[in-house]
Short mmCIF file of all heavy atoms in Angstrom, two decimals:
data_model
loop_
_atom_site.label_atom_id
_atom_site.label_comp_id
_atom_site.label_asym_id
_atom_site.label_seq_id
_atom_site.Cartn_x
_atom_site.Cartn_y
_atom_site.Cartn_z
N SER S 231 -15.37 4.31 20.98
CA SER S 231 -14.39 3.23 21.02
C SER S 231 -13.99 2.88 19.59
O SER S 231 -14.64 3.27 18.61
CB SER S 231 -14.97 2.00 21.70
OG SER S 231 -16.00 1.42 20.89
N ALA S 232 -12.94 2.07 19.45
CA ALA S 232 -12.49 1.68 18.12
C ALA S 232 -13.58 0.92 17.37
O ALA S 232 -13.80 1.14 16.17
CB ALA S 232 -11.22 0.81 18.23
N GLN S 233 -14.28 0.03 18.05
CA GLN S 233 -15.34 -0.74 17.40
C GLN S 233 -16.49 0.17 16.98
O GLN S 233 -17.04 0.03 15.88
CB GLN S 233 -15.86 -1.85 18.33
CG GLN S 233 -16.97 -2.70 17.70
CD GLN S 233 -17.17 -4.01 18.43
OE1 GLN S 233 -16.21 -4.73 18.71
NE2 GLN S 233 -18.41 -4.34 18.72
N GLU S 234 -16.83 1.12 17.82
CA GLU S 234 -17.89 2.07 17.48
C GLU S 234 -17.47 2.94 16.30
O GLU S 234 -18.27 3.21 15.40
CB GLU S 234 -18.22 2.94 18.70
CG GLU S 234 -18.94 2.19 19.81
CD GLU S 234 -19.01 3.01 21.09
OE1 GLU S 234 -18.15 3.90 21.29
OE2 GLU S 234 -19.93 2.76 21.89
N ARG S 235 -16.24 3.39 16.29
CA ARG S 235 -15.75 4.23 15.19
C ARG S 235 -15.87 3.51 13.85
O ARG S 235 -16.36 4.07 12.87
CB ARG S 235 -14.28 4.62 15.41
CG ARG S 235 -14.04 5.55 16.56
CD ARG S 235 -12.55 5.90 16.64
NE ARG S 235 -12.16 6.17 18.01
CZ ARG S 235 -10.93 6.55 18.38
NH1 ARG S 235 -9.97 6.67 17.46
NH2 ARG S 235 -10.66 6.75 19.64
N ILE S 236 -15.37 2.28 13.81
CA ILE S 236 -15.38 1.55 12.54
C ILE S 236 -16.80 1.23 12.10
O ILE S 236 -17.14 1.40 10.92
CB ILE S 236 -14.52 0.28 12.67
CG1 ILE S 236 -13.04 0.67 12.80
CG2 ILE S 236 -14.71 -0.65 11.47
CD1 ILE S 236 -12.09 -0.49 12.99
N GLY S 237 -17.63 0.80 13.03
CA GLY S 237 -19.04 0.51 12.66
C GLY S 237 -19.73 1.76 12.14
O GLY S 237 -20.46 1.71 11.12
N HIS S 238 -19.52 2.89 12.81
CA HIS S 238 -20.14 4.15 12.40
C HIS S 238 -19.67 4.58 11.01
O HIS S 238 -20.47 4.97 10.16
CB HIS S 238 -19.81 5.23 13.44
CG HIS S 238 -20.70 6.41 13.39
ND1 HIS S 238 -20.53 7.43 12.45
CD2 HIS S 238 -21.76 6.80 14.16
CE1 HIS S 238 -21.44 8.36 12.65
NE2 HIS S 238 -22.19 8.00 13.67
N LEU S 239 -18.36 4.48 10.77
CA LEU S 239 -17.82 4.87 9.46
C LEU S 239 -18.36 3.97 8.37
O LEU S 239 -18.72 4.46 7.28
CB LEU S 239 -16.29 4.80 9.49
CG LEU S 239 -15.61 5.12 8.15
CD1 LEU S 239 -15.84 6.59 7.79
CD2 LEU S 239 -14.11 4.82 8.22
N LEU S 240 -18.44 2.67 8.61
CA LEU S 240 -18.96 1.77 7.58
C LEU S 240 -20.41 2.09 7.22
O LEU S 240 -20.78 2.10 6.04
CB LEU S 240 -18.85 0.31 8.07
CG LEU S 240 -17.44 -0.25 8.23
CD1 LEU S 240 -17.50 -1.69 8.75
CD2 LEU S 240 -16.66 -0.19 6.92
N LEU S 241 -21.21 2.36 8.21
CA LEU S 241 -22.61 2.70 7.96
C LEU S 241 -22.73 4.04 7.23
O LEU S 241 -23.57 4.21 6.33
CB LEU S 241 -23.41 2.75 9.27
CG LEU S 241 -23.64 1.37 9.92
CD1 LEU S 241 -24.19 1.54 11.33
CD2 LEU S 241 -24.61 0.53 9.09
N GLU S 242 -21.90 5.00 7.60
CA GLU S 242 -21.92 6.29 6.92
C GLU S 242 -21.55 6.13 5.45
O GLU S 242 -22.23 6.68 4.56
CB GLU S 242 -20.96 7.27 7.60
CG GLU S 242 -20.89 8.63 6.92
CD GLU S 242 -19.92 9.57 7.63
OE1 GLU S 242 -20.33 10.15 8.66
OE2 GLU S 242 -18.78 9.72 7.15
N LEU S 243 -20.47 5.42 5.18
CA LEU S 243 -20.04 5.22 3.80
C LEU S 243 -21.07 4.45 2.98
O LEU S 243 -21.29 4.73 1.81
CB LEU S 243 -18.69 4.52 3.77
CG LEU S 243 -17.50 5.32 4.28
CD1 LEU S 243 -16.24 4.46 4.32
CD2 LEU S 243 -17.27 6.55 3.40
N HIS S 244 -21.71 3.47 3.63
CA HIS S 244 -22.75 2.69 2.93
C HIS S 244 -23.91 3.59 2.52
O HIS S 244 -24.38 3.55 1.38
CB HIS S 244 -23.26 1.55 3.82
CG HIS S 244 -24.31 0.72 3.17
ND1 HIS S 244 -25.57 0.56 3.72
CD2 HIS S 244 -24.31 0.00 2.02
CE1 HIS S 244 -26.28 -0.22 2.94
NE2 HIS S 244 -25.56 -0.57 1.90
#
Side-chain angles (χ1 to χ4, degrees):
S231 69
Q233 181 163 311
E234 289 169 335
R235 292 182 209 182
I236 291 178
H238 197 281
L239 178 66
L240 293 178
L241 289 169
E242 178 180 280
L243 291 174
H244 180 239

